[in-house]
Amino acid sequence: VQLQASGGGLVQAGGSLKLSCTAKNSETIFKLLNMGWYRQIQGSERELVARITLDWSKYADSVKGRFTISRDDAKNTMYLQMNDLRPEDTGVYYCKADVGSANVWWGQGTQVTVSS
């Protein structure tokens, strides 16, 4: 499985961005993958932003009500709609796919910068 993340950029506080993560070489198993977005803010550990399976999704408290995770299994793509962005959302965002703990794949990061 290869993950390609895109959609990052520079936006003013209060603005919106939509991140995409497309999985390559996974057409037959994409719908079985648990997917998630993580971010790494400078000087901090990588943290969970949002996660989605076939049955549920969950969010970090800091993004609840502002971010929405979704997936389109027909396009092998996961999305993260980010609204009302804040300077503290600035960081490198990574997408992750897994099937249990033994099979984990990470995409390259995409930079999100929110100016005040």
Side-chain angles (χ1 to χ4, degrees):
V1 177
Q2 294 176 306
L3 302 176
Q4 180 70 42
S6 62
L10 172 63
V11 64
Q12 288 188 329
S16 298
L17 284 172
K18 186 173 185 178
L19 305 183
S20 299
C21 176
T22 299
K24 306 291 186 183
N25 302 319
S26 65
E27 289 76 7
T28 60
I29 66 167
F30 183 83
K31 64 181 180 181
L32 302 178
L33 299 174
N34 302 314
M35 306 289 293
W37 289 99
Y38 292 71
R39 67 187 180 191
Q40 189 159 20
I41 297 171
Q42 192 170 8
S44 300
E45 297 288 321
R46 192 175 296 187
E47 63 180 10
L48 173 69
V49 175
R51 184 167 165 82
I52 186 167
T53 71
L54 289 178
D55 302 314
W56 51 263
S57 58
K58 69 175 183 180
Y59 299 87
D61 288 342
S62 60
V63 306
K64 283 180 181 176
R66 300 188 297 123
F67 291 11
T68 302
I69 191 170
S70 62
R71 60 191 293 164
D72 185 338
D73 291 349
K75 296 182 178 180
N76 297 335
T77 301
M78 171 183 65
Y79 304 97
L80 184 68
Q81 177 67 48
M82 305 186 292
N83 297 329
D84 190 22
L85 282 160
R86 304 168 181 172
E88 55 263 38
D89 294 317
T90 294
V92 180
Y93 284 68
Y94 298 89
C95 58
K96 175 189 172 185
D98 69 81
V99 181
S101 58
N103 298 287
V104 179
W105 301 271
W106 289 93
Q108 92 290 1
T110 185
Q111 176 71 44
V112 171
T113 303
V114 185
S115 63
S116 57

